[in-house]
Amino acid sequence: MLNFIDKRFYTLIGDIKSKDKSQIYNHMLEKFKALPLLTQFSIQQFLNKFDYWGKIEIERLNYEMIENKAEVFATRIDDYVELYNNLADYKSKNILFSIISNFYNFDFVNLKYCMENVYKHYFDLDLMPKCENEVFVDVGAYTGDSTIDFISSYGENSYKKILCYEICKENIEKMQKNLENYKNIYIFEKAITNFNGTTHFDKNADLSANSTSSGGELAVEAVTLDADIKDKITMVKMDIEGGEMNALIGMKNHIKNDTPTLLISVYHNNTDLLDIPKYISTINKNYNYHLRYYGGPYYATEIVLIALPKN
């Protein structure tokens, strides 16, 4: 017998599977247009602030984001089912249902009830109740907020060292001040990716959203974690605005040999939620997968994949 979360999920999947791409798109567009106009424009403003999922331009009748999401539903719905079946807890399964329902039905109600309001971002104490002697790597460290959340969650004696990687000088200066009273923290002005050399980026108006690109005006050293860290890594948090897959490729030896806990943002494009757990599994089978949701109630962002070693 299926429980209510399974029933809701497979009913939703069945509805999507019954439609072709154009029907999925028309369904999503109808749901979007049924929203209050102010809500439509709020979603448009948010989406167009970032270059992640495709634009919505209501006055121009441009619904690129909806087209992109419809394409993924039409071509990769079985991958959503595979991910659902590979999630290790029903909270995660319910989050995945709510994310899909948000994208497909512009369902705000279920997404609202998935929002984490107990634990710090990334650090779910039900999944990771304690940390000891961690070598914690904070990729996309911003101003040190995640590192501070880690220490406040687990204590100052929970780690051997913390290595923070950030590409923006202004963020690094703030991070140095924010973390100056903590021991054994090392800060690097480097981009983590799948090659060693130089990469570029343009400074975003939102300094938390800087991302590397081949055409950027500012240069920064690019490294792989496999090349840059020789110690065993025990935990990695990663939020680098769409560069997560390349960064994981660049640490495949650490994933294979160390089996670190992985706390990975999987929302910066339309397929990372599907592709990243698949990739990790090709490198190391010894993981259980969980999802946690730290975003808002209107459009599903701040989705974190938590990959925990089985043993």
Side-chain angles (χ1 to χ4, degrees):
M1 296 289 293
L2 298 178
N3 62 41
F4 84 95
I5 295 175
D6 289 332
K7 287 179 181 177
R8 292 198 307 175
F9 177 79
Y10 285 109
T11 299
L12 179 60
I13 293 298
D15 184 24
I16 297 172
K17 280 190 167 186
S18 72
K19 298 177 172 66
D20 61 25
K21 178 182 172 181
S22 64
Q23 292 170 323
I24 293 170
Y25 170 78
N26 288 333
H27 169 92
M28 294 171 65
L29 184 59
E30 180 181 339
K31 292 290 186 179
F32 178 76
K33 289 184 174 181
L35 299 174
L37 195 58
L38 182 60
T39 304
Q40 293 182 41
F41 277 105
S42 294
I43 293 172
Q44 172 183 275
Q45 183 180 27
F46 174 77
L47 290 172
N48 295 348
K49 182 180 177 182
F50 305 99
D51 189 23
Y52 297 149
W53 312 284
K55 294 184 180 299
I56 284 182
E57 297 171 311
I58 296 167
E59 294 176 349
R60 297 185 178 183
L61 303 180
N62 176 13
Y63 299 100
E64 179 186 28
M65 182 277 287
I66 295 176
E67 292 176 4
N68 292 341
K69 284 287 193 291
E71 172 71 23
V72 177
F73 283 141
T75 59
R76 302 196 58 183
I77 194 64
D78 287 336
D79 288 334
Y80 280 110
V81 176
E82 179 182 351
L83 174 60
Y84 184 87
N85 289 329
N86 286 335
L87 292 171
D89 66 304
Y90 268 97
K91 182 173 182 177
S92 298
K93 291 174 185 284
N94 188 55
I95 288 170
L96 181 59
F97 161 79
S98 300
I99 290 167
I100 297 171
S101 186
N102 174 252
F103 292 155
Y104 182 64
N105 291 317
F106 287 90
D107 170 10
F108 306 147
V109 174
N110 284 292
L111 196 63
K112 178 181 178 180
Y113 287 114
C114 287
M115 295 164 57
E116 178 58 58
N117 54 18
V118 177
Y119 301 126
K120 301 288 188 182
H121 197 137
Y122 300 103
F123 306 113
D124 188 306
L125 297 186
D126 287 324
L127 298 179
M128 301 173 293
K130 63 180 180 179
C131 290
E132 297 176 345
N133 297 315
E134 301 290 347
V135 176
F136 175 50
V137 183
D138 189 349
V139 180
Y142 187 40
T143 59
D145 53 330
S146 295
T147 289
I148 292 171
D149 284 348
F150 169 81
I151 295 171
S152 69
S153 295
Y154 300 108
E156 292 190 42
N157 295 320
S158 60
Y159 64 93
K160 289 197 295 186
K161 66 172 69 173
I162 298 176
L163 300 93
C164 299
Y165 289 86
E166 173 59 39
I167 62 174
C168 176
K169 289 182 183 295
E170 289 91 334
N171 290 342
I172 288 173
E173 290 172 0
K174 293 177 183 177
M175 180 169 24
Q176 289 169 336
K177 292 180 181 178
N178 291 339
L179 300 178
E180 63 184 358
N181 293 324
Y182 298 103
K183 63 182 181 181
N184 299 329
I185 295 181
Y186 306 90
I187 298 172
F188 303 96
E189 186 181 348
K190 298 178 180 179
I192 301 301
T193 185
N194 60 343
F195 66 91
N196 298 291
T198 301
T199 190
H200 296 80
F201 71 100
D202 287 318
K203 193 183 299 180
N204 194 293
D206 182 347
L207 292 181
S208 69
N210 292 316
S211 60
T212 58
S213 66
S214 59
E217 293 185 357
L218 301 174
V220 65
E221 181 182 0
V223 296
T224 68
L225 286 182
D226 280 343
D228 211 51
I229 301 177
K230 299 307 179 185
D231 294 341
K232 179 180 178 179
I233 296 172
T234 65
M235 181 179 288
V236 179
K237 165 255 164 175
M238 195 176 287
D239 184 355
I240 47 176
E241 310 308 309
E244 290 83 5
M245 179 62 84
N246 283 338
L248 289 166
I249 292 170
M251 64 168 295
K252 63 183 179 182
N253 291 329
H254 279 297
I255 294 173
K256 179 180 179 181
N257 299 323
D258 302 345
T259 318
T261 295
L262 300 172
L263 314 170
I264 312 297
S265 294
V266 288
Y267 64 91
H268 288 118
N269 61 46
N270 289 311
T271 61
D272 271 355
L273 178 60
L274 303 173
D275 294 335
I276 284 177
K278 275 180 176 287
Y279 175 73
I280 295 169
S281 293
T282 66
I283 303 302
N284 189 328
K285 303 294 186 184
N286 195 36
Y287 279 106
N288 287 323
Y289 295 99
H290 308 263
L291 293 177
R292 291 297 183 263
Y293 183 64
Y294 302 94
Y298 294 109
Y299 187 79
T301 63
E302 303 296 342
I303 306 163
V304 173
L305 177 76
I306 301 177
L308 298 179
K310 289 181 180 179
N311 301 321

